[in-house]
């Protein structure tokens, strides 16, 4: 299956916390950082997600935010440290590529945000993704 989601990070499930409707799944990425996904309990069963399972963490580029400073006081669970690699500026939006350990994340943010944050290649950033915006794939 081919997907339009550019952000696909390999990892291993370390924890599954079940709930009646939703579950949280903690994934240790191959590069060393951790991600939490909030997915339906039904998806956990259908995909056979359990501790030790190999998965791909999926996140749409439009759901990735970037920060250049401390990210304290946020409810966002996923905070991946990385280095900005490339910026492609459009009239209103920018496509920003970030190296995260041994993987790459893409964020689509406004041109105004790029300018206000002073983003340039080599800038250290934190990629922020809500756990409810993470999908998991198996197989």
């Amino acid at each position: 299956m081919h997907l339009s989601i550019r952000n696909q990070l390999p990892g291993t499930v370390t924890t599954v916390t079940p709930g009646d409707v939703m579950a949280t799944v903690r994934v240790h990425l191959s590069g060393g950082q951790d991600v939490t996904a909030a997915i339906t309990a039904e998806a956990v069963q259908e995909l056979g997600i359990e501790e030790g399972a190999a998965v791909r963490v999926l996140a749409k580029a439009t759901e990735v935010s970037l920060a250049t400073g401390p990210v304290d006081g946020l409810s966002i669970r996923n905070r991946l440290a990385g280095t900005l690699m490339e910026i492609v500026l459009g009239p209103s939006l920018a496509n920003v590529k970030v190296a995260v350990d041994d993987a790459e994340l893409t964020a689509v943010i406004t041109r105004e945000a790029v300018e206000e944050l002073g983003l340039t290649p080599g800038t250290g950033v934190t990629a922020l993704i809500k756990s409810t915006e993470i999908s998991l794939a198996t197989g």
Side-chain angles (χ1 to χ4, degrees):
M1 175 188 320
H2 299 286
L3 300 172
S4 65
I5 296 175
R6 289 177 269 179
N7 297 317
Q8 299 186 27
L9 308 173
T12 303
V13 174
T14 57
T15 308
V16 178
T17 305
D20 292 337
V21 176
M22 298 292 289
T24 56
V25 180
R26 187 100 167 150
V27 178
H28 187 70
L29 300 177
S30 62
Q33 298 189 64
D34 292 313
V35 169
T36 299
I39 63 174
T40 65
E42 184 179 16
V44 169
Q45 289 182 332
E46 287 178 0
L47 295 172
I49 293 176
E50 58 186 22
E51 288 184 28
V55 296
R56 280 179 291 137
V57 171
L58 308 173
K60 290 177 61 177
T62 53
E63 299 301 334
V64 178
S65 297
L66 300 176
T68 57
V71 289
D72 298 328
L74 294 176
S75 65
I76 297 173
R77 298 293 86 201
N78 300 306
R79 305 168 189 195
L80 301 172
T83 303
L84 199 142
M85 297 174 11
E86 178 185 334
I87 302 169
V88 178
L89 290 174
S92 60
L93 296 174
N95 194 58
V96 181
K97 293 186 180 181
V98 178
V100 176
D101 298 322
D102 64 348
E104 181 181 291
L105 276 178
T106 299
V108 173
I109 62 175
T110 64
R111 183 183 183 112
E112 184 178 17
V114 170
E115 294 165 358
E116 285 179 7
L117 294 172
L119 297 178
T120 58
T123 301
V125 296
T126 301
L128 305 164
I129 313 166
K130 292 177 65 171
S131 59
T132 52
E133 298 304 327
I134 298 284
S135 295
L136 299 177
T138 58

